[in-house]
């Protein structure tokens, strides 16, 4: 039987699971926060396409002009996340999702598709080696190794917004920029707050709550960004061990 893929729409958003967090039997604050975030984004051309299975198998992308990332360019799609997990790996689902996105871009007359990458693969970033099999290549980079990967159809390329490449802020305390595009974010925010309160660690949390704010960020960003002592640390969500390593610097 052919796998069943479905796209989230304003009509089915309340009833469909969000794929990346589907193992919960009661309302989950991160899932509900993402539903609210998606309700506005879907009207802007945001696409969330998933496989109807009990593992995370989905792609999420948007027109670059309305994507909440500090990347600029004309007529591109931006891939936030392409994720295939556990028993669903090795069945061609990732390829099917990427091919759907690329076909959608071509059908819309887009100039190409782009995504965030890194010279060294980071957790919570889509597999860039997989993307490169489709022809994605680095078209911009920060000094600390993050890359903008793009597959151009017409020779034009997007770029990191100028301020994003600074990767520095004036605050010395632990500072986290975040939005609710990822349903794991609220749980990680709560865990970081708890650790910092228990250990007297100064913490500043900055919610990215608009498109303009996201385009003006002082760092690369996919839905989360961490600074310490004024220096950008990671786009990875933090567990306690990772947080301790950062605070020892």
């Amino acid at each position: 039987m052919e796998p069943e893929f479905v796209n989230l729409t304003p009509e089915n958003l309340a009833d469909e699971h969000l794929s990346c967090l589907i193992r919960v039997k009661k309302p989950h604050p991160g899932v509900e926060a993402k539903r609210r975030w998606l309700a506005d984004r879907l009207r802007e051309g945001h696409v969330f396409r998933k496989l109807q299975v009990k593992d995370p198998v989905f792609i999420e992308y948007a027109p670059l002009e309305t994507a909440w990332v500090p990347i600029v360019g004309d007529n591109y799609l931006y891939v936030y996340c392409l994720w295939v997990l556990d028993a669903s790996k090795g069945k061609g689902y990732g390829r099917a999702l990427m091919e759907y996105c690329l076909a959608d871009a071509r059908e819309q007359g887009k100039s190409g598709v782009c995504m965030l990458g890194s010279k060294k693969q980071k957790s919570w970033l889509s597999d860039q080696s997989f993307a490169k099999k489709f022809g994605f290549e680095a078209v911009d980079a920060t000094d600390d190794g993050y890359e903008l990967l793009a597959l151009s159809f017409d020779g034009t390329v997007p770029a990191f917004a100028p301020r994003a490449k600074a990767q520095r802020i004036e605050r010395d305390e632990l500072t986290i920029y975040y939005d609710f595009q990822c349903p794991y974010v609220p749980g990680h925010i709560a865990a970081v707050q708890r650790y910092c309160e228990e250990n007297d660690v100064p913490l500043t949390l900055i919610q990215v709550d608009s498109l303009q704010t996201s385009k003006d960020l002082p760092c690369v960003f996919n839905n989360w960004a961490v600074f310490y002592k004024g220096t950008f640390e990671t786009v990875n969500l933090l567990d306690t061990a990772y947080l301790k390593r950062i605070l020892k610097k």
Side-chain angles (χ1 to χ4, degrees):
M1 185 171 65
E2 288 295 317
E4 180 186 359
F5 289 97
V6 64
N7 287 19
L8 295 184
T9 67
E11 292 72 29
N12 68 16
L13 178 59
D15 300 319
E16 291 286 345
H17 70 68
L18 297 188
S19 191
C20 35
L21 260 179
I22 59 178
R23 297 180 178 87
V24 292
K25 296 182 179 180
K26 58 183 180 180
H28 183 283
V31 171
E32 298 316 307
K34 172 147 192 176
R35 284 192 206 281
R36 292 190 293 271
W37 189 86
L38 277 174
D40 292 327
R41 305 288 79 75
L42 291 175
R43 294 193 291 268
E44 301 167 350
H46 189 107
V47 173
F48 189 112
R49 182 172 177 82
K50 65 188 180 104
L51 185 67
Q52 296 292 61
V53 294
K54 292 183 179 180
D55 294 321
V57 181
F58 69 98
I59 191 170
E60 190 169 1
Y61 62 88
L64 183 56
E65 292 84 353
T66 57
W68 284 30
V69 289
I71 297 168
V72 293
D74 294 325
N75 205 35
Y76 263 73
L77 293 181
Y78 176 79
V79 177
Y80 286 102
C81 192
L82 171 57
W83 198 11
V84 177
L85 195 63
D86 298 338
S88 294
K89 285 185 175 181
K91 298 181 180 180
Y93 298 145
R95 173 168 290 277
L97 289 167
M98 180 64 87
E99 288 176 345
Y100 178 91
C101 174
L102 298 181
D104 191 14
R106 289 190 172 95
E107 185 175 339
Q108 293 184 54
K110 296 295 184 182
S111 294
V113 179
C114 61
M115 60 187 285
L116 182 62
S118 173
K119 290 181 180 178
K120 182 179 179 181
Q121 177 69 42
K122 309 281 187 181
S123 61
W124 301 99
L125 284 183
S126 299
D127 185 349
Q128 58 213 32
S129 63
F130 176 76
K132 288 177 179 178
K133 293 177 182 178
F134 290 85
F136 283 77
E137 58 185 7
V139 296
D140 201 359
T142 64
D143 290 341
D144 55 354
Y146 284 91
E147 296 179 328
L148 177 58
L149 305 179
L151 174 57
S152 177
F153 303 152
D154 62 8
T156 64
V157 294
F160 288 122
R163 189 162 181 250
K165 297 179 79 168
Q167 303 281 72
R168 289 198 59 83
I169 59 174
E170 304 244 335
R171 294 184 182 88
D172 283 336
E173 70 266 29
L174 181 68
T175 301
I176 299 175
Y177 293 85
Y178 69 95
D179 67 27
F180 290 119
Q181 188 264 340
C182 174
Y184 287 96
V185 163
H188 283 267
I189 287 289
V192 170
Q193 284 180 307
R194 185 164 54 251
Y195 179 88
C196 290
E197 288 170 1
E198 291 172 353
N199 293 277
D200 297 319
V201 175
L203 171 67
T204 296
L205 297 172
I206 301 175
Q207 183 182 346
V208 177
D209 59 2
S210 72
L211 175 63
Q212 189 59 52
T213 302
S214 70
K215 293 297 186 187
D216 290 338
L217 285 168
C219 59
V220 297
F221 181 80
N222 210 41
N223 49 55
W224 175 274
V226 180
F227 284 83
Y228 186 55
K229 295 183 178 179
T231 300
F232 178 76
E233 293 288 342
T234 186
V235 295
N236 292 359
L237 295 173
L238 299 178
D239 58 21
T240 300
Y242 197 169
L243 178 55
K244 287 180 178 178
R245 289 199 301 272
I246 290 174
L247 294 174
K248 284 181 180 179
K249 294 183 177 180

